[in-house]
Amino acid sequence: MISKQLANQIVEQTMLRLHRNINVVHTNGMILASGDRLRVESIHGGARIVAKTEKALIITEENNHLFQNAKPGINLPIFFQNELVGVIGITGNPDDIVEVATLVQLTTEMMVHQALIASQSEWKRKMRETIFQDLMNQQPLQKVMEERLYKIGFFYAPPFYAITLDVEATLMAYQSFVEHMEDFFIHESVIFGRYQLNEHFILVSGMDTKAIKRKITMLLTQLKKYFNVRIGIGQPVQSLEKASYSYETAKNAIEYGDKKKSIIFFEEVEIFSLLKKSDSQEALHFTSRVLKDLNNKLIHTLVVYFSNNQQLTICSEELGIHRHTLTYRLNQIHETTGYDPANFQDAIILQIALWLKNK
């Protein structure tokens, strides 16, 4: 139904252009808003008839006495998605306003449609975020939640993927960001929104890994035109009650993933999450002991060497040095630390020390 706030907006905007008194009436006949404030909350007998018949009613000086609290004019039904939501009345000589009456009706229906669609969208957004909050609190799937999921069009078929988005969106741009998401996922079984302060989430059901990667790559292509965004994809789970675990792994993907990458799967950084207590005394002691007195140049050389799978030619090209120079540096690292970067077992220790140092 039309709210009083919306009714007042319709009266204000329509009278501004039409220069005639306008009444917006509830389906029960009560005037919600009017240019004549004394008529607000009184019963309009003519509008009651329109609400019952769903047909326009012309009131003249001759039949005016037949309708409670009515004045000459034209009263028309207002529909939203084929359902009667109110009545609009235009006060005046019917002969003078008949040509504009239909236009006023159509304009009003457009305003109602826009307002109610926006209201429904806002309701769905709040509902999605409430559901996600409950899932993060590991609330069991009760009937109320199942009904809510059904109302927002989410069908819980495994697997479930939780995804987090690290978005640099200003408050002014947030509405645009949400609208992008709504348009993009209009046909999918997806919950998305804002979680806590600056976390944005997506919860997807019924897609395999390939489909997820394809869909998120397409989403990124659209979003990065307007926003700086990184996307972390969590471990799939088979039960919606375990969505909180998937979301935690998605956040780990963002936290530990390569800052230059836009899409990170948790599997890529799983070992980092196992080492997440990198600020412990033991970790600091281990890093200091293994890397010892390596300078920044040698540490950078080691990072590039491991990132290129210990391939000398590719590593030397990326560093912009001769291959012999690279070999000399690796020998320096071996002599300083006691660990040989070319040896598999030693390389593991050096790599873990680097990870801990950079986390």
Side-chain angles (χ1 to χ4, degrees), residues 41 63 90 111 118 134 160 235 238 249 275 291 325 327 335 356:
E41 295 189 357
N63 67 359
I90 312 169
M111 292 177 68
D134 289 343
F160 302 98
Q235 284 271 59
Q238 297 302 310
T249 58
L275 303 170
L291 299 180
T325 303
T327 301
E335 291 175 6
L356 292 173

Side-chain angles (χ1 to χ4, degrees), residues 151-171:
K151 285 180 180 179
I152 64 172
F154 186 83
F155 302 101
Y156 42 98
F160 302 98
Y161 279 88
I163 300 165
T164 186
L165 298 93
D166 183 12
V167 185
E168 292 181 18
T170 64
L171 185 61

Side-chain angles (χ1 to χ4, degrees), residues 304 311-323 326:
V304 175
Q311 298 184 55
L312 294 174
T313 301
I314 299 175
C315 180
S316 60
E317 288 177 357
E318 182 172 332
L319 290 170
I321 59 177
H322 194 276
R323 179 167 172 161
L326 173 60

Side-chain angles (χ1 to χ4, degrees), residues 14 18 20-23 59 71-76 88-94 97 100-105:
T14 307
L18 196 60
R20 290 188 180 275
N21 183 59
I22 298 293
N23 302 310
I59 299 177
K71 293 183 179 182
I74 300 178
N75 300 276
L76 305 111
I88 188 163
I90 312 169
T91 305
N93 187 332
I97 59 178
V100 299
T102 302
L103 180 60
V104 171
Q105 181 188 33

